[in-house]
Amino acid sequence: MRLPALALALTVLSAGPLSAHDYKAGPLKIDHPWSRATPGGAKVAAGYLSVTNTGTSPDRLTGASVTAAGRAELHSMSSEGGVMRMAPLPNGLEIAPGATVKLAPSGNHLMFLDLKQPFKKGERLSGTLTFERAGTVAVEFVVEGIAAKGSSDKGHDHAH
């Protein structure tokens, strides 16, 4: 019995830093949390992921944390008159039954503030996501390149 569990653990631990990683919280499927590497001295970074609600009741992403930052907030990003504007989402993001919510560059995202150290490509940063119904879920954010435009799960079709 122990050997299959050990083999599974070694497989998970040996996965490359850019391999897709998923988490479940009740009916919620959390797909590939990631962030970009940051230059030295940066005080902010962003986090991205997708959440699919396979259940019959809505849930809401209400917060997050990452150990490498003092705090995290949910933000929206929009363009008004050619100017990008960012604003906090104090009520979080609803994930309707059957829907997928994607946090991505130039859109809704997690904002990590008061960074304790630079994010370096290949690192995995421990964090949490907090949902209204599903509760708090431990996740790891994979740090991709400083110019990464999307997660390594390209090809998935995510509705907003």
Side-chain angles (χ1 to χ4, degrees), residues 94-125:
E94 182 176 312
I95 304 114
T100 296
V101 172
K102 187 170 185 173
L103 280 62
S106 300
N108 293 335
H109 59 278
L110 298 170
M111 195 80 214
F112 302 131
L113 305 150
D114 305 325
L115 298 186
K116 298 174 184 176
Q117 76 243 0
F119 290 7
K120 295 181 181 157
K121 183 178 178 178
E123 288 181 328
R124 289 181 176 255
L125 306 171

Side-chain angles (χ1 to χ4, degrees), residues 4 9 12 30 39 43 45 53-54 62 66 83 86 106-109 115 145:
V12 170
I30 302 156
K43 295 295 179 197
N53 185 346
T54 64
T62 59
V66 68
V83 176
M86 188 169 40
S106 300
N108 293 335
H109 59 278
L115 298 186

Side-chain angles (χ1 to χ4, degrees), residues 50-67:
S50 295
V51 182
T52 300
N53 185 346
T54 64
T56 56
S57 299
D59 206 334
R60 182 173 294 276
L61 177 62
T62 59
S65 70
V66 68
T67 55

Side-chain angles (χ1 to χ4, degrees), residues 13-54:
L13 290 173
S14 66
L18 297 180
S19 65
H21 56 288
D22 299 335
Y23 303 88
K24 286 223 16 120
L28 301 180
K29 179 182 176 273
I30 302 156
D31 188 30
H32 191 65
W34 68 282
S35 186
R36 290 183 176 133
T38 60
K43 295 295 179 197
V44 298
Y48 312 107
L49 55 103
S50 295
V51 182
T52 300
N53 185 346
T54 64

